[in-house]
């Protein structure tokens, strides 16, 4: 209690990596509010080095707290942030309502014969491509896979969710949780998915 007898306001929680990535996208890559030249440079970037030559990429590295300190782990985080900048430059619009696989997968649980759905019930992302996506290796292969997913969704995705999943993809523990959740989301069975721990607040992927 303060001297006046009123409680101190609660400290605001630190934004998640996904929220910070969304704020970055809105400033630099949003087709309406961002910078068209920056977006074009990142869309044309052909690797981490190309991306790091764009000042906005360094802003994302800074926002995520991935300051390079010289170790291999730090270099990996910087590379992940640079690749995320390339991926987010492909996004045209934010979808706040659905995670990526909820938008790309089955809209209703298909049951045992998942391939038997008809017409509009079919997922936007085929099951064969979905299985290949779950096996995608980090690096250039993952950038290409996420870029194709964004294109499949017409450029509209949940940016914070996409960013968190991209950054966690090759994490020894969180990466497996991402892929398990994507499976539940893809088959419209998310209500049966196990609860997940909160995303880490520290600046390390």
């Amino acid at each position: 209690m303060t001297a006046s007898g009123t409680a101190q306001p609660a400290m605001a929680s630190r934004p998640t990596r996904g929220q910070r990535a969304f704020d970055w996208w809105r400033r630099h890559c949003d087709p309406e509010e961002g910078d068209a030249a920056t977006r074009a440079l990142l869309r044309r970037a052909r690797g981490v080095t190309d991306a790091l030559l764009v000042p906005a990429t360094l802003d994302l590295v800074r926002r995520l707290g991935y300051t390079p300190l010289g170790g291999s782990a730090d270099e990996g985080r910087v590379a992940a942030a640079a690749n995320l900048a390339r991926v987010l430059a492909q996004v045209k619009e934010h979808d706040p309502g659905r995670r990526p696989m909820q938008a790309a997968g089955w809209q209703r649980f298909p049951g045992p014969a998942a391939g038997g759905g008809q017409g509009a019930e079919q997922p936007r992302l085929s099951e064969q491509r979905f299985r290949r996506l779950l096996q995608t290796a980090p690096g250039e292969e993952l950038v290409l896979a996420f870029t194709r997913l964004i294109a499949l969704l017409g450029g509209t995705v949940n940016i914070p969710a996409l960013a968190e999943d991209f950054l966690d993809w090759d994490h020894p523990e969180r990466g497996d949780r991402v892929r398990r959740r994507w499976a539940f989301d893809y088959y419209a069975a998310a209500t049966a998915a196990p609860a997940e721990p909160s995303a880490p607040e520290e600046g390390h992927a």
Side-chain angles (χ1 to χ4, degrees), residues 180-196:
R180 287 197 296 268
R181 175 165 42 75
W182 276 32
F184 278 98
D185 283 351
Y186 180 81
Y187 288 106
T191 55
E196 286 191 73

Side-chain angles (χ1 to χ4, degrees), residues 166-197:
F166 185 90
L167 293 172
D168 280 344
W169 194 262
D170 64 337
H171 190 277
E173 297 176 0
R174 296 195 296 271
D176 286 341
R177 286 201 295 268
V178 167
R179 283 179 276 276
R180 287 197 296 268
R181 175 165 42 75
W182 276 32
F184 278 98
D185 283 351
Y186 180 81
Y187 288 106
T191 55
E196 286 191 73

